[in-house]
Amino acid sequence: MAPTDAEVWLVFPPLVETNFGSFFPATAVLAAYLEQQGVSTLQDDLNEDFAVWLLNSQAYGGADRGPAPESSAAAAGRWLAKSRDRMFGPDGRHRFGVGSPYGHVLQLMAQQYLIDPGEDVLERGDLALRAALPYQDFYDQVGLAERVPRGAVLFGVSVPMGPQLLPALLLAERLKHLHPETPVVLGGPALSLMHLGELERLLVAWPAVDAVVRFDGEFPLEELVLQARRGNWNPASVKGVSCRTSDGVRHNEPGAGPAINSLPAPLYPPEALAKLDDPVIGITQARGCYWGKCDYCDFIELYDGSPPFRGRRPDRFVEELGHLSRSHGVSRFSFITESIPPAFARRVCAALVEKRLDLRWTSFAMVDRRFDQELLALMVESGCEFLVVGLETTVTRVLKLVHKSADREENLRFLRDARDVGLPLVINLIPDLPTTTYEEALSALVDLEEFADGMRSVSVFPFEPTRSSQVGRAPETFGLDVSAPSSTTGQAQYALNHLVSTDPAMTPTQRAEVHARYRAFADHVHALNNSTFTPDPGRAYAPDEALRVPVEDLDLFEAEAGLVCTNMRTRGRAVVPGRAARLLRPYLDGSPFTPRTLTEALTEDVGSRLLVNLDRAAMLTAASNTRRGTRG
């Protein structure tokens, strides 16, 4: 790859596995602002390159660091080794974005590379460096020296997510080795949420990082670029910047960020979008949250120095949608917002319908009584593919404790109205919000199960209190015991921001059971949406009905307990024990069989139960479905 001329190289490092197959908007927004100020930029998405690197069988795992053979991650690796073509279009474009039924498989494969940054990362300790070896291998192979633009005066590394922190620090070291005189600047939410004392330790332990920009990045980054261009590097003079000085580490208070309606449209690099089979472009709707009261959320803390909420004007927003669609030939958009306001949604949707813009879009939203059935129907008419909703629970007492906007009745009304108008929902659940009892969590699950058919997908997060949230600042108010440690993690993927505490409302055994039941519910929703053959365990099969095992979607692994079958389309797993597994083995090349085959080989009762279990695990499809694979 021949270097390109540019003053600033904006890099998005690994690992944000949920963004594979997409282009994260952070660098596109910064590039547009800098170019407007006369600063030439080049953007590089190393996270997407990491996804391709993972798909290389030589890159995956290894005897010393691969996952356990019976794990879902290992199943993903084995399946991808024989099904790699499913992840690419005929022209080689990436098919592992939000529209792919197999995108989550690559995310599973990436799990073993996630590094939750803790104390060892701050200190540049041996444990962190050993965990980072795959990233060192990755940087060796992607040719950083050939990618750096000629004439670059500054390297900017965007770090929105916690698991990107260590890879970003390693990248800074590589860049400093290649170009010792060029400043390396890091920024993004993962650093903005970091306690200043920890940020100070990081800057001392990782001298390759010359400055850290906290909160809104446009103005500080522009000033740093101008300093680097003029050769008078002095980051200690810039608002919102942390850096080393002769007197130690300095943290400057942030200034106000830009007026959001004055920002230019993001600059998405055409060459990056050209790699994607069905690109989704992000467009900023707001910075901050119009509600901004949820006590467990720390995203509302990201804009210190500016108003807590800055929203776009609907007319300018619709104009920008049209501009980006025409410029890049795309029709799918993701609205970048903590939660789209109902009044804004109504005006934008009406404009999209009036202008007959044939676009599809998604957005985060919260349950709000103003999202009535009429507005939800208008959203569908305007092209809304789905809404991502932080529903969390239906327990009114708990919702009020953490200052969510809705109660149980409003949550159920929202789910019902969305289903009635045909608006799919991506639901985020936290079944153990502070003080939730075992009985309350299971009661909420019963509420949710009624609306499974209106859900596109479900994500289940264990509650993880963060120090930068209101819960973290006053844990006793929310029933948390900070004197007793807890090992529960998983929501923030950012150990440095985790508040060590225990919620005595459930025992560890109860909590584990609640999480397992909620995840089983999520698996059920995914099976409903992704199976090529709708499971119906209650129906009776005709004795000579032609069925087959959809081996093209399965990973099959012989374990001590039996044949472990993982359906990569539906995300379901099942273990077929010895005798039944032996009976199925002749059909694991996709050959057809009938229920009579099973009942004659076993007994009618045992054969019927096996059919029900295979159906429930999405391991049956009609023989007329000709997508056949080879033996796994």
Side-chain angles (χ1 to χ4, degrees), residues 338-355:
E338 300 303 330
S339 185
I340 188 170
F344 177 91
R346 192 178 298 274
R347 292 178 63 185
V348 165
C349 292
L352 290 174
V353 172
E354 180 185 353
K355 294 176 181 292

Side-chain angles (χ1 to χ4, degrees), residues 203-543:
L203 284 165
V204 170
W206 297 87
V209 179
D210 295 290
V212 169
V213 172
R214 308 188 323 276
F215 309 108
D216 287 276
E218 286 87 353
F219 294 163
L221 190 57
E222 178 192 6
E223 191 167 344
L224 292 173
V225 171
L226 295 178
Q227 289 182 0
R229 179 194 282 175
R230 296 191 297 257
N232 62 341
W233 181 249
N234 181 25
S237 66
V238 180
K239 290 181 179 180
V241 166
S242 296
C243 62
R244 293 178 300 276
T245 70
S246 58
D247 298 323
V249 173
R250 180 182 178 90
H251 305 286
N252 294 329
E253 289 294 319
I260 193 169
N261 285 296
S262 70
L263 290 173
L267 279 180
Y268 285 94
E271 64 278 6
L273 296 182
K275 296 179 181 179
L276 310 179
D277 186 60
D278 190 9
V280 179
I281 282 185
I283 175 171
T284 301
Q285 185 274 317
R287 291 187 182 179
C289 178
Y290 78 91
W291 176 249
K293 298 178 184 178
C294 297
D295 292 313
Y296 58 90
C297 179
D298 48 21
F299 289 110
I300 59 176
E301 314 283 340
L302 289 175
Y303 302 107
D304 202 2
S306 298
F309 178 72
R310 286 166 286 166
R312 295 284 301 279
R313 293 209 314 263
D315 55 342
R316 289 285 301 276
F317 185 83
V318 173
E319 287 176 11
E320 190 170 302
L321 278 171
H323 164 74
L324 290 170
S325 179
R326 292 187 298 271
S327 299
H328 297 289
V330 299
S331 61
R332 301 183 72 194
F333 291 88
S334 172
F335 295 177
I336 305 168
T337 180
E338 300 303 330
S339 185
I340 188 170
F344 177 91
R346 192 178 298 274
R347 292 178 63 185
V348 165
C349 292
L352 290 174
V353 172
E354 180 185 353
K355 294 176 181 292
R356 298 183 179 179
L357 295 178
D358 186 18
L359 304 178
R360 292 171 290 162
W361 59 273
T362 66
S363 178
F364 278 89
M366 72 178 202
V367 176
D368 186 315
R369 60 181 176 77
R370 292 170 293 178
F371 282 114
D372 55 24
Q373 191 174 92
E374 178 188 11
L375 176 52
L376 294 173
L378 179 62
M379 295 167 82
V380 172
E381 185 181 2
S382 72
C384 183
E385 290 187 271
F386 60 86
L387 292 176
V388 183
V389 182
L391 193 82
E392 322 305 14
T393 184
T394 64
V395 182
T396 294
R397 180 189 65 78
V398 175
L399 292 167
K400 289 184 178 297
L401 175 68
V402 297
H403 292 102
K404 288 286 286 184
S405 68
D407 59 11
R408 174 179 181 270
E409 287 68 28
E410 193 59 40
N411 278 340
L412 299 184
R413 190 278 309 167
F414 185 93
L415 292 172
R416 186 177 299 107
D417 283 352
R419 181 177 64 183
D420 289 348
V421 302
L423 177 56
L425 301 177
V426 172
I427 299 294
N428 293 335
L429 299 174
I430 307 178
D432 56 341
L433 279 170
T435 75
T436 304
T437 67
Y438 174 77
E439 292 76 17
E440 286 174 328
L442 296 186
S443 175
L445 182 57
V446 172
D447 284 341
L448 295 164
E449 287 171 338
E450 179 184 347
F451 299 97
D453 57 342
M455 299 177 187
R456 177 187 172 104
S457 70
V458 173
S459 294
V460 180
F461 301 102
F463 179 65
E464 185 173 2
T466 58
R467 293 189 294 168
S468 54
S469 67
Q470 182 59 26
V471 170
R473 288 190 286 268
E476 295 84 359
T477 304
F478 300 92
L480 301 182
D481 183 356
V482 295
S483 66
S486 170
S487 60
T488 301
T489 59
Q491 182 179 356
Q493 296 182 333
Y494 196 6
L496 288 172
N497 198 25
H498 178 65
L499 176 72
V500 178
S501 62
T502 295
D503 183 351
M506 286 191 225
T507 67
T509 300
Q510 288 175 331
R511 197 177 305 275
E513 182 184 341
V514 163
H515 291 158
R517 290 200 187 187
Y518 272 72
R519 289 187 177 116
F521 170 64
D523 289 342
H524 170 65
V525 171
H526 300 152
L528 286 176
N529 284 287
N530 294 303
S531 178
T532 56
F533 182 67
T534 303
D536 185 7
R539 82 177 179 95
Y541 289 93

Side-chain angles (χ1 to χ4, degrees), residues 4 6 8-11 35 40-44 147-149 271:
T4 305
V8 177
W9 193 36
L10 296 172
V11 189
E35 293 275 356
S40 58
T41 63
L42 180 69
Q43 302 175 62
D44 218 330
R147 302 171 80 126
V148 174
E271 64 278 6

Side-chain angles (χ1 to χ4, degrees), residues 12 16-25 45 47-48 96-97 107:
F12 189 73
V16 185
E17 82 281 11
T18 54
N19 208 67
F20 290 161
S22 304
F23 190 91
F24 201 87
D45 186 357
N47 189 63
E48 189 71 2
F96 34 84
Q107 295 176 24

Side-chain angles (χ1 to χ4, degrees), residues 553-564:
D553 289 333
L554 297 179
D555 171 69
L556 305 171
F557 178 73
E558 296 278 2
E560 187 174 340
L563 184 66
V564 180

